[in-house]
Amino acid sequence: MTRCRARSEANDTGSAISELVILIVVFFGFILAVVFAGRLTTGSARVEAAARSAARTISIARDPEAARDEAAAQAADMVAEGSALCTSMVFDPTIDRTDTPGIVIVDITCTADLSELALIEVPGNHTYHASAEEVLDVHREGS
């Protein structure tokens, strides 16, 4: 019996280190996946917030048509256009005055570069899209 124990103990040397290395790789892979998912969620939230804010900026302006450029610049700042979270942005505001009160609809589309979004190399791009709708403030609007 002592011979069997001696053989099994001799075969186990170094296995704890290899198990630890495997666990560390799996752990860091999990952490990187969480960071990647968090950055994707952050990008989506930024685009949604930018659309809401731009729609509100246009809706409360005295001249909604003139406020489009200001709202576009504000949205570009909010989504950090030019960064990995939004390499390019499409800003599409619509002012609909067919009904009373009028409605402002802002559509924003951003393209994120996935290879720079996290510490792991992920090929491709991800497109975020958000739309926000606000009622024109007729009491502030110039007549």
Side-chain angles (χ1 to χ4, degrees), residues 85-110:
L85 287 174
C86 185
T87 55
S88 65
M89 180 184 83
V90 176
F91 180 79
D92 183 27
T94 304
I95 300 172
D96 183 9
R97 296 177 187 260
T98 56
D99 293 330
T100 303
I103 296 174
V104 175
I105 302 169
V106 173
D107 291 315
I108 295 179
T109 303
C110 269

Side-chain angles (χ1 to χ4, degrees), residues 13 23 40 46 55 67 69-70 72 97 102 108 115 119 124 135-136 143:
T13 56
L23 285 175
L40 279 177
R46 280 187 177 188
D69 292 336
E70 178 187 346
R97 296 177 187 260
I108 295 179
S115 65
L119 303 173
V135 176
L136 280 174
S143 30

Side-chain angles (χ1 to χ4, degrees), residues 16-27:
I17 292 176
S18 60
E19 289 173 6
L20 182 63
V21 167
I22 291 171
L23 285 175
I24 288 173
V25 169
V26 169
F27 176 74

Side-chain angles (χ1 to χ4, degrees), residues 43-55 75 79 89-93 105-111 126-133:
S44 178
R46 280 187 177 188
V47 171
E48 289 174 12
R52 283 192 311 270
S53 179
V79 298
M89 180 184 83
V90 176
F91 180 79
D92 183 27
I105 302 169
V106 173
D107 291 315
I108 295 179
T109 303
C110 269
T111 303
H126 180 74
T127 302
Y128 301 109
H129 178 78
S131 183
E133 186 175 310

Side-chain angles (χ1 to χ4, degrees), residues 4-57:
C4 290
R5 272 194 201 164
R7 275 190 195 155
S8 67
E9 287 176 8
N11 292 338
D12 282 345
T13 56
S15 67
I17 292 176
S18 60
E19 289 173 6
L20 182 63
V21 167
I22 291 171
L23 285 175
I24 288 173
V25 169
V26 169
F27 176 74
F28 280 115
F30 178 74
I31 294 297
L32 291 175
V34 168
V35 168
F36 178 73
R39 298 279 309 258
L40 279 177
T41 304
T42 299
S44 178
R46 280 187 177 188
V47 171
E48 289 174 12
R52 283 192 311 270
S53 179
R56 186 70 184 145
T57 297

